[in-house]
Amino acid sequence: REAGRRTYIPVMSGENKLSWQVKDLIPNSEYYFRVKAVNKIGGGEYLELRNPIIAEDPKQPPDPPIDLEVHNPTSKSVTLTWKPPLFDGGSKIMGYIIEKLAKGKERWQRCNDYLVPLLTYTVKGLEEGTEYQFRVRAENAAGISEPSRITPFVKAVDPVESPKVLLAANLQSGLEVKRGDEIILEAHISGSPYPSITWLRNDEVVTPEEIKKRVTTYTKKKGESIISIRDSIRADHGTFTIKVENDHGVAKASCEVNVLDTPGPPINFVFEDVRKNSVICKWEPPLDDGGSEILNYVLEKKDNTKAEMGWVTVSSTLRHCKFHVTKLIEGKEYLFRVFAENRVGAGPPCVSKPLTAKDPFSPPDPPNKPDVQDVTSNSMLVKWNEPKDNGSPIIGYWIEKREINSTHWARVNRNLVSALEIKVEGLLEGLTYIFRVCAENAAGPGKFSPPSDPKTAQDPIMPPGPPVPKVADTSSTSIELEWEPPVYNGGGDITGYHVYKQLVGVNEWSRCTEKPIKVRQYTVKEVREGADYKLRVTALNAAGEGPPGETEPTTVAEPKEPPTVELDVSVKAGIQVMAGQTIKIPATVTGRPAPTIVWAVEDGELDKDRAVIENVGTKSELTIKNALRKDHGRYVITATNSSGTKSAGTRVEVFDVPGPVLDLKPVVTNRKMCLLNWSDPEDDGGSDIIGFIVERKDAKMHTWRLAVDTERSKCDITGLIEGQEYKFRVSAKNKFGTGPPVEIGPILAVDPLVVPGPPSCPEVKDKTKTSVALAWKPPQKDGGSPIKGYIVEMQDEGSTEWKKVNEGDKLFPTCECVIPNL
């Protein structure tokens, strides 16, 4: 059990052993133990320890220290270092014992009076020139360890060491202070024997007298040296060097000390490019930048003509030693001054000489008229000469363009052009342009040049290729030539052609055309009949005349060809026109020599007063205006030359409305109706009669009305008013319209007239020797018309012949008469 508890815990049971290892104890804790014996009957009494046992490892002296080494031997001392024992013996190491053994001695001597708690110790009090060995023991609560391994012999003499010097870490990259601050430089020195020390600035020894006793040097302790300069000024900057020296050498260490101050004044203030309203101010940086980079320049100006005027800032953010001052007033005198600024501040200014704002030169003269070359569909090369610069070098040129039909000049270049030419691009194909140029110098742009000659934006034109000629015809005095245009036009429109001839056997060609011709045919004259000629044709465009196209040799002769006659395809199948329209019959007639042409009408006669015949070249055309029905028939054209005759014909149909009807007459008329009858027109107008129109009107009226459409050649007209007189007219119709009407009348609407019936038998009312008076009654029927009179006849007895009693054509108006002279 633990000493602080009352309860025992079993750690062994039933084992027949007289010892047992108890595990899992808490280190440095106190425990009580007890044990009892056990047999088959049971357990006996416990045997218990009186005093507690502490759970700790058993203590023993430690192992010896290891890795003992000797350092820095001198004539009086040596420094030892070591490492602790691998095993401390179960108890904390309390310290170390150092022992030495002089060479030739047998007894080790203890060096330290008290245990050394550290792992290093400097052994002092050695005899110079004596050699020593050293060893170290460790001590804990259990005792002292065995000694460590013994060092080799070490001689007690001072070492030979060259001097060394090292500046403080904060000085390795130099030291920078502001004016008035203290400059402190610290160095670490070593060497044996200890070296002498000298401080230098810019390779000159620093002494207090040189800097008015502002300098102090002192040694803080051996191995260190410090130099201090109070109230630093800009002149204190430079390279500070510490030099250390002993019998074995010299060592140096340097530090760049920068004393920050405002910069000095800029220098060499000059003017460039003096103009009436501007000037370029230039200067050079200060000789002393104050130990800091120049960050900025401040430029100021002052109106020097007025003493009361103060300085005005021109710019306070200048990084460079140059500035273009603008907005000066022409003729005024100015002063300028410039300050340099570093991160400490602005230094004193540099003041310029007085400057009067005025131009020393004038703008350039205008260039001569530009020359335009290398024209394409969208670009042109414009060239010009350099004009007089009038005192200031030309810095470039401005170019403007104008479309020839516009009034507006447009700038070509956004920036000045320094060359004497420019390729102007982005032109519109087909438009014509002119260009002008002005030069610019420091005084500004001058006047523009005269405009260039107009140029049209189109691709470069080359002379065209050869045309393709052929002989179309010959005669006894000429050659008809025609040709196809060149396959390649050279990039420009063909403007005309030239024709050349050459008599076979002669080398020379003669040109037939005085001026270029545009038509692609030409009659070559002034040739000899029977001779052979070659012909050439050349094409021209804006670039000039191209190579010729040439024919084979051609003989000048009149060819013999029988006639051919070909009617135009539009009339071959026949012609149908309405009356009043124009008849046109075109035909093509060929043949050599030129045939005579005759137009005729089969089974008829051509109306020469109205027919117009026009013969042009191989074309012949018959024209008849205002065609009549009688113009129909088969028209034939006949061509005749010495080689034969040829004819061609076509049928011409002239359509019209029908002619007037024939034999119009009333067949029956009574008081209520009239039956008309007629015959078809002699001319049906070229189309079948499809009907008739019958109209009537009162004889005293002007308006025809009550038209009747009938297909037959007769018509019953009813609804007449008895006793009224009427007129009638009839027109025939075909598909082209209605023909002219035929009128009849006036016709009286009455029943038809017949001869009257016989009167009654005459009675003798009176008689004498020489006369008889007769009387009778009128007939019962007058025949539809009043009785106009009576005819009386007599017969001699014994005779068979009746004789008329009336005198001449006179009638007896009444139903009685006297027959005298019997």
Side-chain angles (χ1 to χ4, degrees), residues 410-529:
R411 178 70 59 83
V412 170
N413 51 319
R414 292 185 178 180
N415 301 312
L416 281 169
V417 173
S418 57
L420 294 175
E421 62 180 42
I422 185 173
K423 185 176 183 181
V424 182
E425 298 182 326
L427 304 179
L428 297 178
E429 186 172 5
L431 295 186
T432 302
Y433 294 89
I434 56 177
F435 300 87
R436 66 182 185 181
V437 184
C438 76
E440 182 174 332
N441 63 8
K447 292 183 179 180
F448 275 99
S449 68
S452 67
D453 294 332
K455 295 285 185 178
T456 301
Q458 58 188 14
D459 288 328
I461 297 176
M462 301 295 290
V468 183
K470 67 176 181 179
V471 175
D473 198 3
T474 62
S475 71
S476 59
T477 58
S478 65
I479 302 174
E480 292 288 339
L481 184 66
E482 58 187 37
W483 56 89
E484 294 296 325
V487 176
Y488 173 62
N489 66 0
D493 293 336
I494 301 297
T495 57
Y497 299 89
H498 275 307
V499 178
Y500 298 82
K501 66 182 178 181
Q502 181 194 54
L503 180 63
V504 174
V506 177
N507 291 330
E508 294 181 357
W509 289 84
S510 60
R511 197 169 78 186
C512 306
T513 49
E514 291 185 14
K515 297 180 179 179
I517 58 174
K518 293 191 176 182
V519 295
R520 288 187 278 108
Q521 59 184 31
Y522 185 75
T523 301
V524 180
K525 298 182 179 180
E526 299 180 4
V527 290
R528 297 203 308 265
E529 185 175 7

Side-chain angles (χ1 to χ4, degrees), residues 688-724:
D688 293 339
I689 300 297
I690 60 176
F692 302 91
I693 295 176
V694 182
E695 298 173 291
R696 82 179 188 193
K697 73 172 181 175
D698 294 344
K700 296 179 181 180
M701 303 295 288
H702 297 288
T703 304
W704 294 91
R705 61 190 183 87
L706 298 175
V708 177
D709 205 333
T710 179
E711 295 180 357
R712 301 187 298 169
S713 298
K714 62 182 180 178
C715 178
D716 290 332
I717 302 173
T718 59
L720 303 181
I721 299 174
E722 185 177 4
Q724 289 276 11

Side-chain angles (χ1 to χ4, degrees), residues 174-215:
L175 177 65
E176 186 174 82
V177 298
K178 289 186 177 180
R179 183 185 64 182
D181 292 348
E182 185 177 6
I183 300 172
I184 299 176
L185 304 177
E186 179 180 351
H188 300 279
I189 303 154
S190 65
S192 184
Y194 194 75
S196 62
I197 301 170
T198 305
W199 285 93
L200 302 98
R201 185 179 73 87
N202 297 334
D203 296 330
E204 294 184 0
V205 176
V206 178
T207 61
E209 291 75 15
E210 293 176 353
I211 317 179
K212 300 180 180 178
K213 297 188 182 281
R214 291 185 294 114
V215 178

Side-chain angles (χ1 to χ4, degrees), residues 603-624:
D603 302 327
E605 187 173 346
L606 189 65
D607 189 344
K608 295 183 180 179
D609 293 335
R610 296 170 50 247
V612 177
I613 298 171
E614 186 176 8
N615 297 317
V616 178
T618 61
K619 303 297 181 182
S620 180
E621 185 174 73
L622 172 66
T623 304
I624 301 176

Side-chain angles (χ1 to χ4, degrees), residues 523-602:
T523 301
V524 180
K525 298 182 179 180
E526 299 180 4
V527 290
R528 297 203 308 265
E529 185 175 7
D532 291 336
Y533 286 87
K534 286 184 179 180
L535 302 177
R536 281 181 174 177
V537 182
T538 60
L540 294 89
N541 63 11
E545 187 175 6
E550 190 172 314
T551 67
E552 296 294 326
T554 299
T555 302
V556 180
E558 188 76 41
K560 294 186 180 295
E561 299 176 3
T564 64
V565 178
E566 186 75 20
L567 290 176
D568 191 84
V569 67
S570 63
V571 300
K572 276 187 177 183
I575 301 173
Q576 294 180 339
V577 297
M578 291 295 298
Q581 295 180 337
T582 299
I583 299 171
K584 279 192 176 183
I585 309 176
T588 301
V589 180
T590 62
R592 303 297 294 271
T596 58
I597 299 172
V598 177
W599 285 89
V601 181
E602 288 183 356

Side-chain angles (χ1 to χ4, degrees), residues 318-483:
L318 299 178
R319 295 283 297 167
H320 304 289
C321 298
K322 180 177 182 180
F323 187 71
H324 187 196
V325 181
T326 59
K327 299 181 180 179
L328 300 182
I329 299 174
E330 185 175 7
K332 273 197 174 185
E333 185 177 86
Y334 292 90
L335 283 178
F336 293 88
R337 68 182 183 183
V338 63
F339 304 84
E341 286 185 343
N342 61 10
R343 55 193 171 99
V344 176
C350 173
V351 182
S352 72
K353 295 179 180 179
L355 167 78
T356 300
K358 62 180 180 179
D359 283 339
F361 39 76
S362 59
D365 288 350
N368 290 343
K369 182 172 76 172
D371 183 29
V372 180
Q373 303 175 0
D374 297 346
V375 179
T376 71
S377 62
N378 60 4
S379 68
M380 298 182 188
L381 180 64
V382 182
K383 294 185 175 183
W384 57 91
N385 70 308
E386 182 176 3
K388 184 179 177 182
D389 62 13
N390 291 332
S392 174
I394 292 174
I395 57 177
Y397 298 87
W398 296 108
I399 300 91
E400 292 185 346
K401 67 180 178 183
R402 179 166 71 85
E403 204 278 317
I404 195 68
N405 295 321
S406 172
T407 59
H408 174 67
W409 287 95
R411 178 70 59 83
V412 170
N413 51 319
R414 292 185 178 180
N415 301 312
L416 281 169
V417 173
S418 57
L420 294 175
E421 62 180 42
I422 185 173
K423 185 176 183 181
V424 182
E425 298 182 326
L427 304 179
L428 297 178
E429 186 172 5
L431 295 186
T432 302
Y433 294 89
I434 56 177
F435 300 87
R436 66 182 185 181
V437 184
C438 76
E440 182 174 332
N441 63 8
K447 292 183 179 180
F448 275 99
S449 68
S452 67
D453 294 332
K455 295 285 185 178
T456 301
Q458 58 188 14
D459 288 328
I461 297 176
M462 301 295 290
V468 183
K470 67 176 181 179
V471 175
D473 198 3
T474 62
S475 71
S476 59
T477 58
S478 65
I479 302 174
E480 292 288 339
L481 184 66
E482 58 187 37
W483 56 89

Side-chain angles (χ1 to χ4, degrees), residues 110-130:
R110 180 167 174 163
C111 300
N112 53 322
D113 295 331
Y114 304 97
L115 289 177
V116 175
L118 305 176
L119 297 176
T120 180
Y121 182 74
T122 299
V123 180
K124 299 180 179 179
L126 302 180
E127 292 183 9
E128 186 175 0
T130 303

